[in-house]
Amino acid sequence: MSSRDDARVQSELEQAIARGDFDDLPGAGKPLDLPASPDPDWWIRQRLAEDDVDRDALLPVVMLLRREYERRDDTLVELPNEQSVREFATEFTQRVHDDRRANPLARVMAPEMDPDDAVERWRELRAATADREPARAETAVEGRRPRRRWWPFGRRG
């Protein structure tokens, strides 16, 4: 940064201070809760301690995929028809393949989900829940909008 840039930044800061832009910031006048020894990750540790961050967002994608696979029955039972089950299984497997391409040397891998196996499991789950609750009508509507992704994590750009 040149001295001209430094002077411009300093001038902008002084103008903002004069306008009072920094007067009502949260935590103003309070000391920072810094660790005794230098820790470059102090801020994230503090946010975690305050439960200000979703801990799942810190996990590697493969772990999120494995967790999603383990909980697939909970998701499958909520899907309304075979087509949505196939879409879910195909989309899940695509995310698994994307992660494998992004991390070819990973030791931990998420399993793929076969659409036919998913539909078969969905039928079993529906049959088991049909005994316990009234049958739900399938909600297949032609010409509807494409489904939104139900799980926003796992995309790497």
Side-chain angles (χ1 to χ4, degrees), residues 7-25:
R8 184 180 59 81
V9 169
Q10 189 64 30
S11 171
E12 292 289 328
L13 281 172
E14 289 170 1
Q15 290 173 9
I17 291 170
R19 285 190 309 264
D21 291 350
F22 303 121
D23 290 349
D24 296 326
L25 293 176

Side-chain angles (χ1 to χ4, degrees), residues 16-88:
I17 291 170
R19 285 190 309 264
D21 291 350
F22 303 121
D23 290 349
D24 296 326
L25 293 176
K30 296 178 185 174
L32 292 176
D33 184 22
L34 298 175
S37 61
D39 181 9
D41 298 326
W42 68 269
W43 60 276
I44 192 69
R45 292 183 204 288
Q46 183 177 358
R47 300 275 307 268
L48 286 170
E50 296 168 358
D51 287 330
D52 198 23
V53 175
D54 179 17
R55 293 177 185 267
D56 286 349
L58 302 174
L59 292 174
V61 175
V62 68
M63 299 309 291
L64 295 173
L65 289 169
R66 290 177 67 90
R67 184 178 291 172
E68 183 179 346
Y69 185 82
E70 291 168 1
R71 297 177 181 160
R72 69 191 175 279
D73 285 356
D74 297 335
T75 303
L76 290 175
V77 77
E78 296 298 322
L79 296 175
N81 55 40
E82 287 187 20
Q83 180 61 32
S84 59
V85 172
R86 289 182 188 284
E87 289 172 2
F88 166 71

Side-chain angles (χ1 to χ4, degrees), residues 89-144:
T90 302
E91 188 264 342
F92 177 84
T93 300
Q94 181 61 45
R95 287 188 288 135
V96 167
H97 290 171
D98 290 345
D99 182 61
R100 288 179 185 176
R101 276 191 294 278
N103 304 296
L105 301 177
R107 292 184 180 185
V108 177
M109 293 179 22
E112 298 176 15
M113 192 180 308
D114 180 54
D116 294 329
D117 293 344
V119 167
E120 184 178 327
R121 181 66 183 147
W122 175 77
R123 287 181 184 144
E124 292 171 4
L125 293 168
R126 296 289 281 211
T129 57
D131 296 339
R132 287 183 260 153
E133 46 182 74
R136 290 185 255 173
E138 291 191 11
T139 58
V141 177
E142 301 218 7
R144 67 178 179 179

